Amino acid sequence: MERQLFDADHDAFRETVRSFCDKEIVPHHDSWEDAGIVPRELWTAAGAAGLLGFMMPEQYGGGGVRDFRFNTVLIEELTRVRASGVGFTIHTDINSAYLLDYATDEQMARWLPAFCSGETITAIAMTEPGAGSDLQGIRTTARRDGDHYVLNGQKTFISNGILADLVIVVAKTDPDAGAQGISLIVVERGMPGFERGRNLDKIGLKAQDTAELFFDDVRVPVDNLLGEEGKGFGYLMEKLPQERLTIAVVAAAACENMLEDTLRYVKDRKAFGRPIGSFQNSRFVLAELATETQIARVFVDRCIQELNAGTLTVAEAAMAKWWTTELQKKVVDRCLQLHGGYGFMTEYPIAKAYLDTRIQTIYGGTTEIMKEIIGRTMGV
């Protein structure tokens, strides 16, 4: 089914992204996975190619076009080369929305030029050792002291945590006010008391640096408050649908790529004198996966249109996130099975996909949380 989502500008951007990925990422990605991190030079190269700030205003070095279809192109091309562990999407799909909608003009002038050039790498710090999906349960605090906030607490599982120069930290500015006491505080590299823990060893997304962050009496200027004090929880609820749609875009693209790889494999691999794809069981499995992948694609593309129009609901984003990521798990499992013993070998792309897939139903809100969100919107 031909997609109706993109126009000539998106197609041209895809050519730019594809060329960048093939030249700057593919030859080096295995070594980055071994190192557990990508070099900063990759970020500045991406910035120079216009891949990081296309949604930012032109006066700050951006492209001036806020259209999630461009984000989608970047996500799909990174997924195509199995580089979903490269942390661009945290920067372009998640943090860009917070900075565009809640930063002051002064903050934009201070932060956005380096955001667009790749000289400043960003992260967002929500999760804590004792608080994941329940953001109201965070314990990190930011106490007002004159012209500063004094930040104390710990975050974990923070993508881009090692490389980040700018971290949007979710903290309680009024611990007694519940959700109304949460604010977003921007911490910058080099602030005394801000320390990073180890680069966490994950089963997948190996090139993505993921860290623990520690804040010990970090004095953050009040000028680094993002948005209004006490409104951070509301901001998170407003932006989480876009984050979840980003994950769904990865899932849909990954399903298509895995299916394509597997189809090539079963046409070439022979057993009992004929290609294994010609056996009825193989055809039935592939037919089922192809059908469900097409359904996922159509729904995700529709959600992208709704996001651009400002009409994507929290429930629709949750539907897209849980269904596509659970489908991704199903597709990778069935495709690996069709590869037989070779699917268990890490030199085969399906094995890497198997490891990278597992986080998809967890971060951005677990499948169980997504179902809870959907159920509540139904009045049950």
Side-chain angles (χ1 to χ4, degrees), residues 81-98:
V81 297
R82 303 173 189 88
S84 54
V86 173
F88 295 165
T89 56
I90 304 296
H91 192 78
T92 58
D93 303 334
I94 300 173
N95 293 340
S96 65
Y98 288 95

Side-chain angles (χ1 to χ4, degrees), residues 11 24 111 139 146 163 230-231 354 360 377:
D11 294 338
E24 303 290 347
W111 294 329
R139 300 178 65 182
L163 288 174
K231 293 192 174 181
Y354 189 86
Q360 285 279 89
T377 66

Side-chain angles (χ1 to χ4, degrees), residues 290-362:
T291 301
E292 292 182 300
T293 295
Q294 184 65 254
I295 292 168
R297 164 57 57 217
V298 173
F299 183 59
V300 169
D301 281 2
R302 176 60 185 270
C303 286
I304 293 166
Q305 293 174 317
E306 295 292 334
L307 180 69
N308 271 352
T311 54
L312 180 69
T313 68
V314 170
E316 288 166 343
M319 290 174 183
K321 199 273 180 185
W322 89 255
W323 197 82
T324 59
T325 57
E326 290 291 343
L327 176 63
Q328 186 181 351
K329 281 170 54 181
K330 175 182 177 179
V331 170
V332 75
D333 186 68
R334 301 283 179 85
C335 286
L336 191 150
Q337 185 72 21
L338 288 172
H339 279 74
Y342 289 102
F344 200 62
M345 302 297 110
T346 55
E347 63 202 76
Y348 277 74
I350 196 65
K352 179 183 180 305
Y354 189 86
L355 297 173
D356 287 347
T357 291
R358 192 57 190 88
I359 189 60
Q360 285 279 89
T361 58
I362 298 173

Side-chain angles (χ1 to χ4, degrees), residues 243-319:
E243 177 179 348
R244 288 163 180 161
L245 181 56
T246 294
I247 296 169
V249 171
V250 171
C255 289
E256 291 171 340
N257 293 339
M258 292 184 295
L259 195 54
E260 194 174 297
D261 286 346
T262 302
L263 192 56
R264 281 195 297 266
Y265 179 83
V266 300
K267 287 179 178 179
D268 291 337
R269 175 70 173 167
K270 290 183 171 59
F272 304 103
R274 59 177 180 162
I276 61 174
S278 67
F279 291 99
Q280 185 184 64
N281 178 71
S282 300
R283 289 200 304 269
F284 281 13
V285 169
L286 291 167
E288 180 181 333
L289 299 181
T291 301
E292 292 182 300
T293 295
Q294 184 65 254
I295 292 168
R297 164 57 57 217
V298 173
F299 183 59
V300 169
D301 281 2
R302 176 60 185 270
C303 286
I304 293 166
Q305 293 174 317
E306 295 292 334
L307 180 69
N308 271 352
T311 54
L312 180 69
T313 68
V314 170
E316 288 166 343
M319 290 174 183

Side-chain angles (χ1 to χ4, degrees), residues 12-126:
F13 184 63
R14 187 180 295 276
E15 290 302 314
T16 299
V17 179
R18 181 164 294 191
S19 176
F20 181 88
C21 289
D22 290 342
K23 179 182 177 182
E24 303 290 347
I25 294 179
V26 172
H28 314 292
H29 196 264
D30 287 347
S31 65
W32 298 339
E33 290 210 318
D34 291 338
I37 197 167
V38 303
R40 295 187 70 91
E41 291 76 15
L42 177 68
W43 284 82
T44 52
L51 306 190
L52 301 180
F54 47 84
M55 75 300 293
M56 293 304 186
E58 292 182 2
Q59 64 262 40
Y60 304 122
V65 180
R66 192 171 183 180
D67 176 352
F68 196 76
R69 290 175 294 178
F70 287 102
N71 301 66
T72 299
V73 168
L74 179 59
I75 296 166
E76 290 179 349
E77 289 304 309
L78 289 171
T79 304
R80 178 185 65 86
V81 297
R82 303 173 189 88
S84 54
V86 173
F88 295 165
T89 56
I90 304 296
H91 192 78
T92 58
D93 303 334
I94 300 173
N95 293 340
S96 65
Y98 288 95
L99 294 173
L100 275 169
D101 288 343
Y102 309 129
T104 64
D105 290 342
E106 183 276 330
Q107 289 171 334
M108 287 189 179
R110 189 154 43 106
W111 294 329
L112 294 194
F115 178 103
C116 296
S117 69
E119 295 168 281
T120 288
I121 299 170
T122 64
I124 185 164
M126 302 184 201

